[in-house]
PDB file of all heavy atoms in Angstrom:
ATOM      1  N   LYS U 155      -9.766   6.055 -24.798  1.00 59.00           N
ATOM      2  CA  LYS U 155     -11.121   5.685 -24.405  1.00 59.00           C
ATOM      3  C   LYS U 155     -11.306   5.861 -22.903  1.00 59.00           C
ATOM      4  O   LYS U 155     -12.307   6.408 -22.441  1.00 59.00           O
ATOM      5  CB  LYS U 155     -11.403   4.234 -24.803  1.00 59.00           C
ATOM      6  CG  LYS U 155     -12.792   3.750 -24.406  1.00 59.00           C
ATOM      7  CD  LYS U 155     -12.977   2.284 -24.800  1.00 59.00           C
ATOM      8  CE  LYS U 155     -14.330   1.774 -24.332  1.00 59.00           C
ATOM      9  NZ  LYS U 155     -14.508   0.339 -24.615  1.00 59.00           N
ATOM     10  N   LYS U 186       5.483 -12.901  12.453  1.00 94.00           N
ATOM     11  CA  LYS U 186       4.929 -12.129  13.559  1.00 94.00           C
ATOM     12  C   LYS U 186       5.526 -10.731  13.645  1.00 94.00           C
ATOM     13  O   LYS U 186       4.903  -9.821  14.186  1.00 94.00           O
ATOM     14  CB  LYS U 186       5.154 -12.872  14.878  1.00 94.00           C
ATOM     15  CG  LYS U 186       4.337 -14.142  15.013  1.00 94.00           C
ATOM     16  CD  LYS U 186       4.487 -14.753  16.403  1.00 94.00           C
ATOM     17  CE  LYS U 186       3.579 -15.972  16.560  1.00 94.00           C
ATOM     18  NZ  LYS U 186       3.677 -16.549  17.921  1.00 94.00           N
ATOM     19  N   GLU U 194      -0.792 -11.731  15.473  1.00 95.00           N
ATOM     20  CA  GLU U 194      -1.743 -12.371  16.374  1.00 95.00           C
ATOM     21  C   GLU U 194      -2.391 -13.571  15.685  1.00 95.00           C
ATOM     22  O   GLU U 194      -2.412 -13.640  14.447  1.00 95.00           O
ATOM     23  CB  GLU U 194      -2.819 -11.361  16.790  1.00 95.00           C
ATOM     24  CG  GLU U 194      -2.273 -10.172  17.551  1.00 95.00           C
ATOM     25  CD  GLU U 194      -3.367  -9.186  17.957  1.00 95.00           C
ATOM     26  OE1 GLU U 194      -4.555  -9.447  17.665  1.00 95.00           O
ATOM     27  OE2 GLU U 194      -3.019  -8.160  18.575  1.00 95.00           O
ATOM     28  N   PHE U 203      -9.738  -6.475  13.757  1.00 98.00           N
ATOM     29  CA  PHE U 203      -9.935  -5.754  12.505  1.00 98.00           C
ATOM     30  C   PHE U 203     -11.388  -5.315  12.348  1.00 98.00           C
ATOM     31  O   PHE U 203     -11.675  -4.197  11.926  1.00 98.00           O
ATOM     32  CB  PHE U 203      -9.495  -6.639  11.335  1.00 98.00           C
ATOM     33  CG  PHE U 203      -9.423  -5.920  10.017  1.00 98.00           C
ATOM     34  CD1 PHE U 203      -9.153  -4.562   9.934  1.00 98.00           C
ATOM     35  CD2 PHE U 203      -9.606  -6.623   8.827  1.00 98.00           C
ATOM     36  CE1 PHE U 203      -9.068  -3.908   8.712  1.00 98.00           C
ATOM     37  CE2 PHE U 203      -9.522  -5.980   7.606  1.00 98.00           C
ATOM     38  CZ  PHE U 203      -9.266  -4.624   7.552  1.00 98.00           C
ATOM     39  N   LYS U 208     -15.368  -0.803  12.413  1.00 98.00           N
ATOM     40  CA  LYS U 208     -16.531  -0.169  13.040  1.00 98.00           C
ATOM     41  C   LYS U 208     -16.175   1.228  13.547  1.00 98.00           C
ATOM     42  O   LYS U 208     -16.950   2.182  13.389  1.00 98.00           O
ATOM     43  CB  LYS U 208     -17.044  -1.054  14.187  1.00 98.00           C
ATOM     44  CG  LYS U 208     -18.322  -0.569  14.857  1.00 98.00           C
ATOM     45  CD  LYS U 208     -18.826  -1.629  15.831  1.00 98.00           C
ATOM     46  CE  LYS U 208     -20.147  -1.193  16.481  1.00 98.00           C
ATOM     47  NZ  LYS U 208     -19.971  -0.121  17.443  1.00 98.00           N
ATOM     48  N   ILE U 228       6.513 -10.096  -1.569  1.00 98.00           N
ATOM     49  CA  ILE U 228       7.930 -10.189  -1.919  1.00 98.00           C
ATOM     50  C   ILE U 228       8.651  -9.331  -0.891  1.00 98.00           C
ATOM     51  O   ILE U 228       8.447  -8.117  -0.819  1.00 98.00           O
ATOM     52  CB  ILE U 228       8.195  -9.717  -3.351  1.00 98.00           C
ATOM     53  CG1 ILE U 228       7.438 -10.614  -4.346  1.00 98.00           C
ATOM     54  CG2 ILE U 228       9.689  -9.724  -3.649  1.00 98.00           C
ATOM     55  CD1 ILE U 228       7.549 -10.186  -5.799  1.00 98.00           C
ATOM     56  N   ALA U 247       1.412 -21.404  -1.834  1.00 98.00           N
ATOM     57  CA  ALA U 247       0.456 -21.789  -0.797  1.00 98.00           C
ATOM     58  C   ALA U 247       0.151 -20.627   0.136  1.00 98.00           C
ATOM     59  O   ALA U 247      -1.009 -20.420   0.539  1.00 98.00           O
ATOM     60  CB  ALA U 247       1.003 -22.981  -0.004  1.00 98.00           C
ATOM     61  N   LEU U 278       7.373  -7.622 -10.569  1.00 98.00           N
ATOM     62  CA  LEU U 278       5.921  -7.506 -10.742  1.00 98.00           C
ATOM     63  C   LEU U 278       5.324  -8.599 -11.620  1.00 98.00           C
ATOM     64  O   LEU U 278       4.221  -9.086 -11.338  1.00 98.00           O
ATOM     65  CB  LEU U 278       5.549  -6.125 -11.270  1.00 98.00           C
ATOM     66  CG  LEU U 278       5.779  -4.945 -10.318  1.00 98.00           C
ATOM     67  CD1 LEU U 278       5.109  -3.685 -10.854  1.00 98.00           C
ATOM     68  CD2 LEU U 278       5.294  -5.239  -8.905  1.00 98.00           C
ATOM     69  N   GLY U 293       0.948  -2.987  -3.783  1.00 98.00           N
ATOM     70  CA  GLY U 293       1.712  -1.989  -3.049  1.00 98.00           C
ATOM     71  C   GLY U 293       3.186  -2.104  -3.408  1.00 98.00           C
ATOM     72  O   GLY U 293       3.693  -3.213  -3.610  1.00 98.00           O
ATOM     73  N   LYS U 304      23.388  -0.258  -3.120  1.00 85.00           N
ATOM     74  CA  LYS U 304      24.296  -1.390  -2.880  1.00 85.00           C
ATOM     75  C   LYS U 304      24.575  -1.600  -1.388  1.00 85.00           C
ATOM     76  O   LYS U 304      25.714  -1.827  -0.980  1.00 85.00           O
ATOM     77  CB  LYS U 304      25.607  -1.207  -3.657  1.00 85.00           C
ATOM     78  CG  LYS U 304      25.423  -1.238  -5.166  1.00 85.00           C
ATOM     79  CD  LYS U 304      24.851  -2.568  -5.638  1.00 85.00           C
ATOM     80  CE  LYS U 304      24.672  -2.612  -7.148  1.00 85.00           C
ATOM     81  NZ  LYS U 304      23.990  -3.842  -7.602  1.00 85.00           N
ATOM     82  N   ARG U 328      -2.319  -2.169 -17.968  1.00 97.00           N
ATOM     83  CA  ARG U 328      -2.408  -3.215 -18.999  1.00 97.00           C
ATOM     84  C   ARG U 328      -3.247  -4.394 -18.512  1.00 97.00           C
ATOM     85  O   ARG U 328      -4.108  -4.911 -19.243  1.00 97.00           O
ATOM     86  CB  ARG U 328      -1.004  -3.690 -19.388  1.00 97.00           C
ATOM     87  CG  ARG U 328      -1.019  -4.861 -20.377  1.00 97.00           C
ATOM     88  CD  ARG U 328       0.368  -5.361 -20.685  1.00 97.00           C
ATOM     89  NE  ARG U 328       1.103  -5.826 -19.516  1.00 97.00           N
ATOM     90  CZ  ARG U 328       0.911  -7.007 -18.923  1.00 97.00           C
ATOM     91  NH1 ARG U 328      -0.019  -7.847 -19.372  1.00 97.00           N
ATOM     92  NH2 ARG U 328       1.638  -7.355 -17.874  1.00 97.00           N
ATOM     93  N   PRO U 337     -10.764  -0.423 -12.033  1.00 97.00           N
ATOM     94  CA  PRO U 337      -9.433   0.122 -11.752  1.00 97.00           C
ATOM     95  C   PRO U 337      -8.744  -0.553 -10.576  1.00 97.00           C
ATOM     96  O   PRO U 337      -9.384  -0.955  -9.601  1.00 97.00           O
ATOM     97  CB  PRO U 337      -9.721   1.595 -11.441  1.00 97.00           C
ATOM     98  CG  PRO U 337     -10.971   1.892 -12.187  1.00 97.00           C
ATOM     99  CD  PRO U 337     -11.787   0.632 -12.118  1.00 97.00           C
TER     100      PRO U 337
END
Side-chain angles (χ1 to χ4, degrees):
K155 179 182 177 184
K186 291 186 176 182
E194 298 180 1
F203 190 29
K208 185 172 182 288
I228 298 176
L278 292 192
K304 295 299 180 186
R328 175 183 59 78

